[in-house]
Amino acid sequence: MDLSVWARDLAKSLLAEPLPRRWTHSQGVAAKAGVLAEILGVDAELLWAAAMLHDIGYAPTLAVTGFHPLDGARYLRDHSAADERLVRLVANHSCAVLEAEERGLREQLEDEFPLLDHPALVDALAYCDMTTTPDGEPTTVDARLAEILGRYGLDSIVGRFIRRAEPELCAAVHRVEAQLTAVGE
């Protein structure tokens, strides 16, 4: 079975029934990843799989710490034959280390799943996540960040994290947009 089919089937089995909106978001993030194939080349399938799987840690059967990047990555590491790069992308998607710090889990995240030394892939996954609504529709990074803050509240763990991560998330999105523009020229 190829990586894309495996990732889609796994994400669907974990998210579709208990968390249909999260499943829809994951599908939208993966669709956005498909647009980046031209700029990522050989890593395009890896990005697509990470985009499809990035939120599996929300699945009720996987939620151990309550921090979805860590819970999802641990599941992939411990219960699948997932490539280490895929696991590390899931663990660290969208500046997760800053939320891990808010939750007192930064050391665990960094020790178990060091940030992947591939800035283009890290940026690409943040771009896909931060330009897709919870309903799987395209959006702007500013609208997505505002939606997250509105949903969780400014003083929540997620709200504090998003406000800290905003400059880097916006920069990642803008770097990918610049690459897309350059390819289109």
Side-chain angles (χ1 to χ4, degrees):
M1 183 178 298
D2 76 14
L3 180 60
S4 298
V5 172
W6 171 80
R8 184 197 64 232
D9 290 350
L10 179 58
K12 183 177 182 180
S13 73
L14 293 167
L15 297 174
E17 189 174 313
L19 301 170
R21 192 172 190 212
R22 192 67 60 186
W23 168 235
T24 300
H25 169 70
S26 295
Q27 291 175 87
V29 173
K32 185 75 66 140
V35 172
L36 302 183
E38 191 171 346
I39 64 172
L40 286 175
V42 298
D43 290 321
E45 187 178 38
L46 176 62
L47 173 65
W48 193 93
M52 183 58 74
L53 295 166
H54 80 286
D55 276 353
I56 63 168
Y58 280 114
T61 56
L62 306 189
V64 174
T65 68
F67 180 47
H68 77 278
L70 185 58
D71 291 337
R74 283 178 171 167
Y75 177 82
L76 290 171
R77 177 193 64 200
D78 298 342
H79 302 284
S80 77
D83 178 277
E84 179 189 358
R85 296 182 320 147
L86 173 61
V87 175
R88 288 168 61 187
L89 280 167
V90 169
N92 288 288
H93 75 272
S94 302
C95 298
V97 70
L98 296 177
E99 185 175 346
E101 188 174 305
E102 290 286 335
R103 294 175 179 275
L105 296 169
R106 183 177 182 140
E107 188 174 311
Q108 287 180 44
L109 182 68
E110 290 178 326
D111 287 349
E112 290 181 50
F113 308 104
L115 184 64
L116 191 64
D117 187 23
H118 194 318
L121 268 174
V122 173
D123 280 358
L125 186 53
Y127 166 83
C128 295
D129 190 19
M130 290 297 119
T131 59
T132 305
T133 69
D135 296 312
E137 298 299 321
T139 191
T140 65
V141 64
D142 293 333
R144 174 79 164 123
L145 294 172
E147 180 277 321
I148 292 168
L149 285 172
R151 188 165 20 120
Y152 288 95
L154 290 173
D155 295 323
S156 68
I157 287 173
V158 175
R160 290 191 306 270
F161 147 67
I162 282 294
R163 287 183 293 149
R164 286 181 60 205
E166 181 177 2
E168 180 51 35
L169 291 170
C170 288
V173 168
H174 297 312
R175 286 189 293 267
V176 172
E177 289 172 340
Q179 288 178 304
L180 287 169
T181 299
V183 168
E185 292 176 348

